[in-house]
Amino acid sequence: MTFSYDRQIKAVDDISFTVEKGEVFGFLGPSGAGKSTTIKLLTRLIVPQANSVFILGRDMAKVDYKFMRKIGISFENDVLYPTLTGYENLYFHAKLYGINKQEIEDVMKTLDIFDARDKPAAQYSKGMKTRLVLARALVTRPEILFLDEPTGGMDPDIAAYVRKVLKDLNNQGTTMFVTTHDMHEAEQLCDRIAFFNSGKIVDIDTPESYKKRYGESRISFTVGDKIIAVDRKNKEELLRLIDQDQWNSIHSQEATLEDIFIKVVGRGLKDGE
Ligand SMILES: Nc1ncnc2c1ncn2[C@@H]1O[C@H](COP(=O)(O)OP(=O)(O)OP(=O)(O)O)[C@@H](O)[C@H]1O
Ligand SMILES: [Mg+2]
């Protein structure tokens, strides 16, 4: 799959991957990597300039709106109707698929926006808007969810709650494609993670396996105001430092997914790294 906005730079550059049924598959990459563009391509908001997308065995170039009920899309910076209430925003989407009032209210309760149901969407905070968009994606009980930065703009405790809701849905069988630049989110949610940068998939693996392949675990010694980190395999040096008996504390350090991302991709997940 390839896409260029200006026919010069490829925002998504010849990527190809398969997501298994029941899996949570993540795209982890920095701002501007092409994550949102990838979701737009997968859900056919824009049309790939090369190759094609198959979802649940169907060619996305040929599906009709009824099929779209099986797909939930929660898009970063999604368009809500600002003057309609939260409830009405969901109602206009759900009506197309014959979803009833009770089901809409249940989803709002699940995402903890029920109390704000009669407020215009324009008055929602950023994190509430993200949850409203997510509610719209969930209301048709889709088999596959496409989530673009699903906890964007949320306070950490609400983000953790939303991740739990998503985990529960996955445990009930919902397949998910998630983009994020948050390594903790990727690690908590995803069975497999694609490292994604400049429109390309650099690697695909499980979080555990990334750590096995690239993560060096280290032991760090605090000696006075200095921290000395030693590779766990370097027994000689470890024993020497322990013997010296000048340390205040000893910790083991696991490589984080971000450390590994930098190693594999050559840049960090945040701007300017
Ligand atoms: N509508 C557009 N017109 C032209 N260029 C675009 C458009 N949308 C995105 N781009 C460019 O395509 C590239 C990928 O953008 P995209 O929004 O897919 O990245 P992203 O990984 O989702 O970033 P972020 O983490 O900031 O959301 C960027 O270089 C961006 O400037
Ligand atoms: Mg984006």
Side-chain angles (χ1 to χ4, degrees), residues 35-36 76 148-149:
K35 301 183 298 294
S36 298
E76 175 200 39
D148 192 16
E149 311 264 357

Side-chain angles (χ1 to χ4, degrees), residues 40 42-45 55-56 58-60 62-73 93 96-97 136-137 140-144 146:
K40 287 185 206 164
L42 292 171
T43 54
R44 216 157 168 95
L45 285 170
I55 293 178
L56 299 168
R58 301 273 301 272
D59 183 345
M60 283 298 280
K62 295 176 187 154
V63 298
D64 61 11
Y65 88 94
K66 280 193 200 125
F67 177 80
M68 290 306 281
R69 176 178 178 160
K70 297 183 182 182
I71 298 174
I73 309 167
H93 179 72
L96 193 62
Y97 300 107
R136 199 178 57 190
T140 59
R141 298 177 193 275
E143 289 177 41
I144 300 185
F146 291 89

Side-chain angles (χ1 to χ4, degrees), residues 192-260:
R192 283 191 303 149
I193 299 171
F195 281 177
F196 189 62
N197 187 43
S198 303
K200 286 186 194 293
I201 294 175
V202 184
D203 205 343
I204 300 178
D205 215 330
T206 63
E208 303 76 38
S209 176
Y210 273 125
K211 288 189 175 172
K212 262 198 210 126
R213 284 165 60 208
Y214 298 107
E216 294 158 4
S217 49
R218 291 162 166 269
I219 311 280
S220 68
F221 294 78
T222 319
V223 180
D225 54 3
K226 268 200 306 203
I227 294 173
I228 305 170
V230 183
D231 193 307
R232 193 182 281 255
K233 292 189 203 96
N234 189 350
K235 291 227 171 72
E236 222 171 277
E237 181 65 4
L238 289 175
L239 288 173
R240 193 182 69 77
L241 283 164
I242 292 169
D243 265 353
Q244 270 186 358
D245 209 19
Q246 285 171 345
W247 48 270
N248 312 105
S249 66
I250 304 179
H251 293 282
S252 69
Q253 284 178 334
E254 279 291 317
T256 66
L257 219 46
E258 168 130 32
D259 295 336
I260 297 167

Side-chain angles (χ1 to χ4, degrees), residues 4-267:
S4 169
Y5 288 99
D6 56 10
R7 303 213 166 249
Q8 285 174 0
I9 302 162
K10 288 177 180 155
V12 171
D13 190 358
D14 193 22
I15 62 169
S16 176
F17 60 93
T18 307
V19 179
E20 305 296 330
K21 197 170 188 320
E23 188 176 36
V24 182
F25 188 91
F27 257 39
L28 181 66
S31 184
K35 301 183 298 294
S36 298
T37 305
T38 300
I39 290 215
K40 287 185 206 164
L41 287 168
L42 292 171
T43 54
R44 216 157 168 95
L45 285 170
I46 53 178
V47 177
Q49 284 147 358
N51 307 339
S52 47
V53 177
F54 284 83
I55 293 178
L56 299 168
R58 301 273 301 272
D59 183 345
M60 283 298 280
K62 295 176 187 154
V63 298
D64 61 11
Y65 88 94
K66 280 193 200 125
F67 177 80
M68 290 306 281
R69 176 178 178 160
K70 297 183 182 182
I71 298 174
I73 309 167
S74 168
F75 203 68
E76 175 200 39
N77 310 324
D78 208 322
V79 202
L80 293 159
Y81 299 105
T83 54
L84 297 186
T85 66
Y87 177 84
E88 287 164 345
N89 266 281
L90 295 187
Y91 175 78
F92 280 104
H93 179 72
K95 197 178 160 197
L96 193 62
Y97 300 107
I99 312 288
N100 67 36
K101 185 169 182 245
Q102 188 61 51
E103 289 172 290
I104 297 173
E105 290 185 350
D106 287 349
V107 168
M108 293 193 98
K109 281 179 192 157
T110 303
L111 290 171
D112 201 18
I113 46 174
F114 184 69
D115 290 345
R117 66 191 177 282
D118 296 326
K119 272 195 193 164
Q123 286 177 23
Y124 279 40
S125 69
K126 189 157 186 271
M128 285 166 78
K129 279 185 188 144
T130 311
R131 276 180 285 157
L132 183 56
V133 169
L134 188 57
R136 199 178 57 190
L138 298 184
V139 77
T140 59
R141 298 177 193 275
E143 289 177 41
I144 300 185
L145 270 174
F146 291 89
L147 307 168
D148 192 16
E149 311 264 357
T151 58
M154 286 178 200
D155 292 340
D157 55 336
I158 298 172
Y161 173 72
V162 167
R163 279 185 211 119
K164 191 187 164 302
V165 170
L166 295 175
K167 264 279 166 216
D168 289 349
L169 278 170
N170 175 246
N171 289 336
Q172 291 158 28
T174 312
T175 307
M176 296 183 193
F177 178 90
V178 184
T179 71
T180 184
H181 57 247
D182 178 341
M183 61 158 180
H184 297 295
E185 177 150 291
E187 200 164 346
Q188 281 168 24
L189 277 180
C190 301
D191 299 310
R192 283 191 303 149
I193 299 171
F195 281 177
F196 189 62
N197 187 43
S198 303
K200 286 186 194 293
I201 294 175
V202 184
D203 205 343
I204 300 178
D205 215 330
T206 63
E208 303 76 38
S209 176
Y210 273 125
K211 288 189 175 172
K212 262 198 210 126
R213 284 165 60 208
Y214 298 107
E216 294 158 4
S217 49
R218 291 162 166 269
I219 311 280
S220 68
F221 294 78
T222 319
V223 180
D225 54 3
K226 268 200 306 203
I227 294 173
I228 305 170
V230 183
D231 193 307
R232 193 182 281 255
K233 292 189 203 96
N234 189 350
K235 291 227 171 72
E236 222 171 277
E237 181 65 4
L238 289 175
L239 288 173
R240 193 182 69 77
L241 283 164
I242 292 169
D243 265 353
Q244 270 186 358
D245 209 19
Q246 285 171 345
W247 48 270
N248 312 105
S249 66
I250 304 179
H251 293 282
S252 69
Q253 284 178 334
E254 279 291 317
T256 66
L257 219 46
E258 168 130 32
D259 295 336
I260 297 167
F261 190 92
I262 292 171
K263 204 169 191 178
V264 175
V265 178
R267 67 176 286 195

